[in-house]
Amino acid sequence: MKLLRLITSFKGNESLSFQLGNAIVEKIKTLYPEIDSTTRNLTKNEMPHLNELHFNSFMTPAQDLSAELKDAVSYSDEALKELLPADIVVIDVPMYNLSIPSSLKAWIDHIVRVGITFRYSEEGIEGLLKDKKVFLAIASGGIFSEGPLKEFDLTEKYLRNVLGFIGITDITVFRVEGTAMPQFKDEALPKALESVAAYSL
C-alpha cells in the first residue's frame, strides 16, 4: 500500500492541521505497518497557479509538446506520479478565509486532468480515481462543522465535490475547531486527537 501526505499550512510544526494530520498518518501506520509513505509539503514545494500555458500543456499530445510546454506540464506530471499510485491520501487543511489554502487549490488544478483523473463519456463526467481513501485534517478558529457558521465552511464541501469529481468518494474528515474561541481552544486539539485514536478503518 502507498500513502500520500499533503502539508499545506505555512505554520510548520505549530500548525494544528499539521499536528492533526500527523496523528492520522500515525494511526494509518499502526493499521498498515508496511505502508510506503510520500510527503509533499506544498508550502515548501509550491505548485504554480494554473495559467494558460499550463492548460495548453494539458491539452497538447505528448509528442507535440514544445520545450516550454514540457516544462509547464512537468508540475502536473510530478504531482500525478505521487497521487495515482496512492491508496490513501491525507490532506492537511487549515481554513484560510473560509476556504482552503491557495497552495492546495493550485495542486488540485494540476491533478484534475481530462483523460487522466476524469473523462467525458456518453453518460456524462466520470471520475477515474475510484479506489482511493482520503482523510482530511481540517483546522479552523471557529466552529464550522455545525451551528450558524456551517454554511460558511467552504473547505469540506469544496474538497468533497472536487475529489468526487475525479472519482474519490471515500472521504473521512477530522476537525480541530474552535481554536480561536476561549471556551473551546484548550480542548480543541485533544478532542480532535481523541477522535483519530478512536477511529477504525
Side-chain angles (χ1 to χ4, degrees):
M1 294 186 68
K2 293 183 180 295
L3 165 70
L4 173 62
R5 165 84 179 282
L6 299 177
I7 297 170
T8 71
S9 173
F10 48 67
K11 290 186 177 180
N13 294 342
E14 299 302 314
S15 162
L16 295 181
S17 66
F18 174 76
Q19 294 177 49
L20 182 57
N22 278 349
I24 296 170
V25 169
E26 290 307 310
K27 178 71 174 187
I28 293 168
K29 288 182 176 179
T30 64
L31 298 172
Y32 303 105
E34 302 301 319
I35 198 165
D36 180 19
S37 62
T38 297
T39 299
R40 174 179 280 259
N41 188 327
L42 293 172
T43 69
K44 304 293 185 182
N45 184 18
E46 289 187 344
M47 304 284 286
H49 291 291
L50 193 68
N51 60 30
E52 184 178 7
L53 190 62
H54 299 123
F55 183 79
N56 288 340
S57 74
F58 299 164
M59 298 296 105
T60 303
Q63 66 272 18
D64 297 329
L65 289 170
S66 65
E68 186 179 37
L69 290 177
K70 285 180 181 178
D71 180 66
V73 80
S74 65
Y75 298 97
S76 175
D77 288 346
E78 181 182 357
L80 287 168
K81 284 180 182 178
E82 296 172 344
L83 174 63
L84 294 179
D87 301 288
I88 300 175
V89 183
V90 176
I91 307 176
D92 302 353
V93 191
M95 179 185 283
Y96 294 160
N97 299 319
L98 306 180
S99 188
I100 65 174
S102 61
S103 60
L104 178 55
K105 178 60 167 62
W107 180 85
I108 289 170
D109 286 341
H110 282 274
I111 59 92
V112 177
R113 284 179 59 182
V114 65
I116 300 178
T117 55
F118 77 98
R119 68 183 176 187
Y120 296 101
S121 68
E122 293 181 358
E123 289 74 34
I125 296 171
E126 178 187 2
L128 301 177
L129 307 186
K130 297 178 180 178
D131 298 316
K132 299 185 187 301
K133 169 74 178 172
V134 168
F135 292 90
L136 304 178
I138 300 177
S140 59
I143 303 292
F144 289 88
S145 62
E146 59 185 5
L149 294 180
K150 184 175 176 61
E151 66 178 297
F152 292 95
D153 177 20
L154 304 179
T155 57
E156 181 179 345
K157 182 177 181 180
Y158 169 70
L159 288 170
R160 283 190 180 276
N161 285 343
V162 73
L163 292 172
F165 184 85
I166 59 174
I168 303 174
T169 57
D170 187 355
I171 300 171
T172 298
V173 178
F174 293 101
R175 287 177 179 264
V176 50
E177 55 183 349
T179 61
M181 304 173 72
Q183 68 272 40
F184 297 120
K185 65 178 183 179
D186 291 339
E187 293 301 318
L189 183 58
K191 181 179 178 181
L193 296 179
E194 286 175 10
S195 67
V196 174
Y199 178 81
S200 59
L201 287 173

